[in-house]
Every structure is written in C-alpha cells, then in structure tokens.
Amino acid sequence: MRIGDVAQRTGVSTRALRYYEEQGLLGSERTSTGQRTYTESAVERVELIQQFFTAGVPSRTILQLLPCVDSGHASPEVFEILEEERRRITDAMADLAAARDALDRMIDITRNPTPEHCPSLR
Amino acid sequence: MRIGDVAQRTGVSTRALRYYEEQGLLGSERTSTGQRTYTESAVERVELIQQFFTAGVPSRTILQLLPCVDSGHASPEVFEILEEERRRITDAMADLAAARDALDRMIDITRNPTPEHCPSLR
DNA sequence: GTTGACGTTGACGTCAAGGGCAAGTCACGA
DNA sequence: TCGTGACTTGCCCTTGACGTCAACGTCAAC
C-alpha cells in the first residue's frame, strides 16, 4: 500500500502519517524511487496511535509504549508508564464527569427556572 | 482580595487570571491606582472556569456559557451549546475508556506473557 | 525613605499535532 | 510522450492557554 491508501483507510491525513514516521511511531518500507510502502498491519497501528492521541497520550510516550505492543514484554519503566497513563486517563475521566455534571446542573436550571436556582428571579 | 490571593487560593497563576480577564471570563474591580480587586465569588468562578478548561471547553465557548450561570437563563442558542458540549464530553469519556481498555490489555499481557499474546514466544 | 514583595502592561516564546505551500519526482493511462 | 494525480522533502504557519521577560508603579514594613 502507498501512503494515500493508508490515509484513506484510516481517515488520517498523509501529512499526519509522515509526522508519525518522523516521530518514530510508524515504520514504512521504501520503493527504489523513495516512495513509502506500508503493510496491512500499518492500518491497525495507525488506529492504535490515533486512539492514544485521542486519549491525550503524547507522541513521546506512545513511542515508549509501542515496542511493548510488538514484543508483548514491558520493562519495569515501561510498565510504570503504562500504569501512570492509566491513572492519568482515569483522572481525566473523573474531570470530564465533573464538568458534565456542572453542565447538567446548568441545563437543569435553565430548563426549570426556580427562585432557588435563579438569582435574577429572587 | 488582590490577584495574588486569588492565585494562591485557586492554584491558578496570576498570568492565567489576567488571561481570563483578557478573554472576558473573569471580572475585577480596580483600585484608584489600577490594581485588580476581587470578591469572594471570584474564587468560585475561577474554579468553574478551570473545570471547563480541563474538560476541553475553549474560552470562547466558556464565555458564552458564563452569563447563563449568572442569570440562570439560557437562550435557545446557548442551550444548544450546552447540549453540544455535553455530547462532546460524553464522547470524550468514551474515547478515554477505549484507550484505557487498550492500556489494560497491554498491562494484562505484559503481566501474564503467554504464547497467544506474545509473538516473540511463538 | 528605602527595601522588597507584589502589582501593572506589553510583547514575545512555547509546545504539540499537524496544515499548507512550493518545487520537484514518480506512476500510469491514453 | 504527454498529462495528471500521487508522492517526495523542506519549510514556515496555526491554535490555545498560558510562561517569561522587561520596565515600571504600588504598598506595607521597618
């Protein structure tokens, strides 16, 4: 596959794919004329990378985690990173839940304006 | 209260507080010599702003929501924003959950390396 | 009245994940 | 062989929420 094919199948821009390679996250073979060639597994890899990016894991951290995906083995340091990211994500979920609750309260108040809720009615 | 007090009580830098004011998110009185003065409610306000920032709500959107916090009333457009942000946050939570599951699988595999999981052992 | 912490504005720097453009090369069908 | 679309590298640009520095004013204490 060429880069455009991977882009189309993953929904990730070619610019982003080159960026991933630049960051060491995604490998590719080259043709004799220098064009990138990808295997099928690259699609899966890109999807995993995307998932991490979406979760707020920075590229440098992903770079440390990916070898462990391939080898199935984690050094103690990598293991610590795994658990730390897990904690970070859990905390982020709690923050999101709190913000959503705040929005819910606002939605509720604006839907049922009552004197207790609404200073302007008092 | 002066800006340093608010910073200390909220854990938000003075630079950030001035930025919030610049963005219209946070009001302040001024002394005759130009120094900012805050009421007690500013602390609560800053905490709310932080909560939204943490949840990924951009300052321009927060700016549209805050008047509704004060008035207890939301125009249809603001109401739509409220619900859209709610959706966005819910989606983000699902993304985080998916990423955490991916991490959990990795953690599990590295904790119990088995031939099925680990290509290098096959 | 001087010291030192705290305050002011303004301008520029940072960081990450790409976007966009330029100028050239490659692949492939007509 | 020509055209066209896909690809290459290299470079600067963008966005948001501040950090940082400069140059200066203020305030409370001693």
Side-chain angles (χ1 to χ4, degrees):
Chain A
M1 297 167 75
R2 291 191 302 166
I3 196 170
D5 303 321
V6 179
Q8 193 172 3
R9 288 180 53 182
T10 60
V12 171
S13 73
T14 61
R15 178 67 179 86
L17 294 176
R18 292 194 195 97
Y19 175 72
Y20 295 169
E21 181 169 326
E22 192 183 318
Q23 302 300 308
L25 303 177
L26 182 63
S28 69
E29 299 295 306
R30 298 294 184 117
T31 68
S32 58
T33 58
Q35 303 213 356
R36 288 173 179 83
T37 298
Y38 298 90
T39 63
E40 282 296 319
S41 64
V43 173
E44 210 173 335
R45 167 70 53 123
V46 169
E47 281 161 359
L48 182 62
I49 293 172
Q50 278 291 101
Q51 200 167 37
F52 282 140
F53 273 134
T54 303
V57 181
S59 57
R60 266 195 301 277
T61 303
I62 299 177
L63 185 57
Q64 297 178 279
L65 298 182
L66 285 183
C68 151
V69 173
D70 299 327
S71 71
H73 172 265
S75 65
E77 307 89 66
V78 169
F79 197 78
E80 181 49 38
I81 294 172
L82 283 167
E83 299 219 302
E84 168 141 7
E85 284 303 316
R86 213 206 108 95
R87 283 194 296 273
R88 224 213 61 244
I89 289 174
T90 301
D91 290 351
M93 288 175 72
D95 289 341
L96 287 178
R100 195 176 59 176
D101 288 348
L103 280 180
D104 281 344
R105 280 192 299 275
M106 291 171 63
I107 289 172
D108 188 43
I109 290 170
T110 60
R111 200 140 37 192
N112 311 321
T114 67
E116 306 96 83
H117 293 138
C118 179
S120 62
L121 293 181
R122 287 177 215 164
Chain B
M1 299 166 76
R2 292 191 303 166
I3 196 169
D5 304 321
V6 179
Q8 192 172 3
R9 288 180 53 182
T10 60
V12 170
S13 72
T14 61
R15 176 65 179 90
L17 294 176
R18 292 194 194 96
Y19 174 73
Y20 296 169
E21 180 168 326
E22 191 183 319
Q23 301 299 310
L25 303 178
L26 182 64
S28 69
E29 299 295 306
R30 298 294 186 116
T31 68
S32 59
T33 58
Q35 303 210 352
R36 288 171 180 82
T37 298
Y38 298 89
T39 63
E40 282 296 319
S41 64
V43 173
E44 208 174 336
R45 167 68 54 122
V46 169
E47 281 161 359
L48 181 62
I49 293 172
Q50 277 291 100
Q51 201 167 36
F52 282 141
F53 273 134
T54 303
V57 182
S59 57
R60 267 195 302 276
T61 303
I62 299 177
L63 185 57
Q64 296 178 280
L65 298 183
L66 284 182
C68 150
V69 173
D70 299 326
S71 72
H73 171 264
S75 65
E77 308 89 67
V78 169
F79 197 78
E80 181 50 38
I81 294 173
L82 283 168
E83 299 219 302
E84 165 135 12
E85 285 301 318
R86 213 205 107 96
R87 282 194 296 274
R88 224 211 62 244
I89 289 174
T90 302
D91 291 351
M93 289 175 72
D95 289 340
L96 286 178
R100 194 176 60 176
D101 287 349
L103 279 180
D104 281 344
R105 281 193 299 277
M106 291 171 64
I107 290 173
D108 189 42
I109 289 171
T110 61
R111 198 138 40 190
N112 312 321
T114 66
E116 307 94 80
H117 292 137
C118 178
S120 62
L121 294 181
R122 287 178 215 163

